[in-house]
Amino acid sequence: MVGYSLKRIILVILPIFFFAECKKYNLLEDGYPFYENYFQGTIRIPEKMLSHSAFFYTDTLIVSEVSLQYGQHESIVGESFNTLLNIKMINGWNSFKDLEINVYPKDYEDFITKRKQELELFYLGNLNLSKRYSSYLILVSDIMDDYNIVLKVFLVNVNDNKVVSVTRMSQYTCFDGDIKYIYTDLSEKGVFIQRSKLLESDVIIPEEYQQEEHEKIIFKFTYNRNGFVTLLK
C-alpha cells in the first residue's frame, strides 16, 4: 500500500523533470513526444516474436481508446517478454531513475525485477509500413487498481532482428480524477499525427480554454527508409 502511494506521487511530479530533446531520442511523456532511435542496433528481438503470425492494422487511427482498454490482446511471455521489458522506454527506467521520491530500486537489475512483477505486455499486431523493416504494436499494461491505470502502446520497428526505433503511439491514463488519452492517426501522405486529449477531469477549466486544454497536437513524425523516427514541423 505504501508503494502504491509513492507511485502515485511519482506520477504527479514525473512530467516536471523531462524537458530535454536531442537528435537521437526524446523521452518525454504525457503530452510530449516520446520516442527513441537505436542507431547502434544493440537490442536483438527473438526469432519467435519475429515469426509471429501477423495481424496488420489498416485503420488510420492506430489504436482506438476502446481497443486499448477492452480489446482482445495476446499476452507476451518468456524470452520475448524479457527482451522487450529490457527496453528502457518500455520499462520506464528513464522516467524513474533520477526522481528523489522513488519507490523503485536505484540498481537497474533490481528495478527490472520489480517491473517484471508489475507490468504485463501484449502483442496487438503489425503495421505494414515498409518492406525494409517490420513494425510491431506492443501494449504495456501498468494497472495499480480500478482507479489508477496506465496503458501504453509502443510501435517497435525491427530491421534484421534488431530494434531500430520505439515510439509511444497511444496511452490511456486514469489517475486521481483525470483521464487522458493520447492517440496517433496516419494520414494519406504517410505522416503520423499524435494528439493528447483530456477525457475527464476534476479540475474546472474556463470555457475559453477548454478546447485548447482538452485536445492538442503533440507532434508530427514519419519513419525514414530504415525505420528511424523523423520529426516534422
Side-chain angles (χ1 to χ4, degrees), residues 92-136:
W93 169 253
N94 290 294
S95 300
F96 292 113
K97 64 178 181 178
D98 295 324
L99 295 182
E100 292 183 9
I101 302 174
N102 196 344
V103 67
Y104 293 103
K106 294 293 185 180
D107 179 77
Y108 182 71
E109 295 302 323
D110 292 339
F111 172 83
I112 287 295
T113 299
K114 185 170 179 61
R115 291 299 269 170
K116 283 182 177 180
Q117 300 169 359
E118 296 178 338
L119 300 181
E120 291 184 281
L121 305 184
F122 300 90
Y123 174 77
L124 299 188
N126 291 18
L127 285 185
N128 190 15
L129 300 180
S130 172
K131 294 181 179 180
R132 294 175 58 88
Y133 57 87
S134 300
S135 303
Y136 301 90

Side-chain angles (χ1 to χ4, degrees), residues 4 13 27 47 53 81 83 102 115 121 134 141 159 179 185 197 214:
Y4 281 156
I13 65 177
L27 297 177
E47 290 288 345
S53 57
F81 175 85
T83 300
N102 196 344
R115 291 299 269 170
L121 305 184
S134 300
S141 175
N159 187 357
I179 301 178
D185 288 307
K197 186 175 184 180
H214 276 69

Side-chain angles (χ1 to χ4, degrees), residues 19-36:
F19 294 94
E21 179 178 351
C22 74
K23 194 170 183 181
K24 177 189 174 187
Y25 59 84
N26 185 322
L27 297 177
L28 302 181
E29 296 194 62
D30 191 23
Y32 297 92
F34 190 40
Y35 68 91
E36 184 165 2

Side-chain angles (χ1 to χ4, degrees), residues 55-59 62 125-130 133-137 155 169 186 192:
F55 166 74
F56 288 99
Y57 270 70
T58 56
D59 295 337
I62 305 304
N126 291 18
L127 285 185
N128 190 15
L129 300 180
S130 172
Y133 57 87
S134 300
S135 303
Y136 301 90
L137 286 168
L155 182 68
M169 301 299 281
L186 178 59
F192 292 90

Side-chain angles (χ1 to χ4, degrees), residues 4 7-8 11 142-146 148-150 174-175:
Y4 281 156
K7 195 172 179 183
R8 288 168 182 160
L11 286 173
D142 188 1
I143 299 178
M144 290 175 274
D145 52 48
D146 291 339
N148 294 280
I149 300 169
V150 179
C174 178
F175 175 72

Side-chain angles (χ1 to χ4, degrees), residues 30-88:
D30 191 23
Y32 297 92
F34 190 40
Y35 68 91
E36 184 165 2
N37 289 323
Y38 297 86
F39 297 114
Q40 303 304 317
T42 56
I43 303 173
R44 300 189 68 88
I45 295 297
E47 290 288 345
K48 183 177 180 180
M49 177 175 166
L50 292 172
S51 62
H52 202 289
S53 57
F55 166 74
F56 288 99
Y57 270 70
T58 56
D59 295 337
T60 55
L61 176 61
I62 305 304
V63 181
S64 70
E65 177 192 348
V66 173
S67 176
L68 181 60
Q69 295 182 72
Y70 307 110
Q72 297 296 316
H73 311 313
E74 181 179 344
S75 182
I76 297 174
V77 297
E79 185 183 4
S80 296
F81 175 85
N82 292 332
T83 300
L84 290 169
L85 198 70
N86 265 290
I87 297 175
K88 292 177 181 178

